[in-house]
Amino acid sequence: MSATTVVAGAILSDDGRILLAQRAYPPELAGLWELPGGKVEPGETLADALVRELCEELNVRVEVGDRLAVAVTLESGLELIALRATIVDGTPTAAEHRMIEWVDAERLRALDQAGAVVPNDREWLPEILADLLER
Ligand code: CDP
């Protein structure tokens, strides 16, 4: 993986919800909701990086599944990839975010319509909504 990849977790529950995290910074993104994650470090696989980041950010251990089909490339050159994941140990807490919330499809649509989703992450919403609605 290149140093310019960011991996995010589409953490799904078995009752049709996804875990969103509300950013605390920078000012232009603070208050907006995202899939938690972070930069892949040299030598890490995407899955390794996601397990590490979600441990640091949410204090949970996850099992990583397959990736969402859409990859988002930013003007800065960063590439964002999302992997499905499930929590196998721990209860998520907001260690680095303002707060976290398990949202169902209806709440996710409402957050999006209110402009409360990080713009990059909006690319993943069709796939996520399909996942949530088939559970
Ligand atoms: O925490 P920090 O802003 O340093 O960065 P990061 O979490 O490692 O993410 C790096 C970049 O990816 C930032 O520009 C984030 O805004 C972006 N990102 C995103 O657009 N969507 C996510 N779900 C996660 C990160």
Side-chain angles (χ1 to χ4, degrees), residues 5-83:
T5 300
V6 172
V7 65
I11 306 174
L12 301 163
S13 71
D14 51 19
D15 69 345
R17 290 167 194 258
I18 183 165
L19 192 70
L20 293 189
Q22 190 180 38
R23 290 196 65 107
Y25 66 92
E28 63 272 21
L29 295 179
L32 301 185
W33 295 87
E34 69 174 3
L35 302 187
K39 293 192 183 77
V40 180
E41 292 177 356
E44 280 184 325
T45 64
L46 288 173
D48 292 339
L50 187 62
V51 168
R52 176 182 51 73
E53 287 285 348
L54 297 183
C55 180
E56 292 170 2
E57 295 187 355
L58 304 173
N59 290 310
V60 291
R61 193 159 60 86
V62 298
E63 192 169 278
V64 178
D66 59 354
R67 59 169 286 186
L68 300 187
V70 173
V72 185
T73 305
L74 309 188
E75 276 177 34
S76 61
L78 276 180
E79 184 184 36
L80 304 186
I81 294 175
L83 304 179

Side-chain angles (χ1 to χ4, degrees), residues 95-107:
E96 297 179 6
H97 287 88
R98 195 175 277 177
M99 59 172 102
I100 55 173
E101 185 179 323
W102 287 105
V103 304
D104 63 10
E106 188 184 355
R107 171 91 172 126

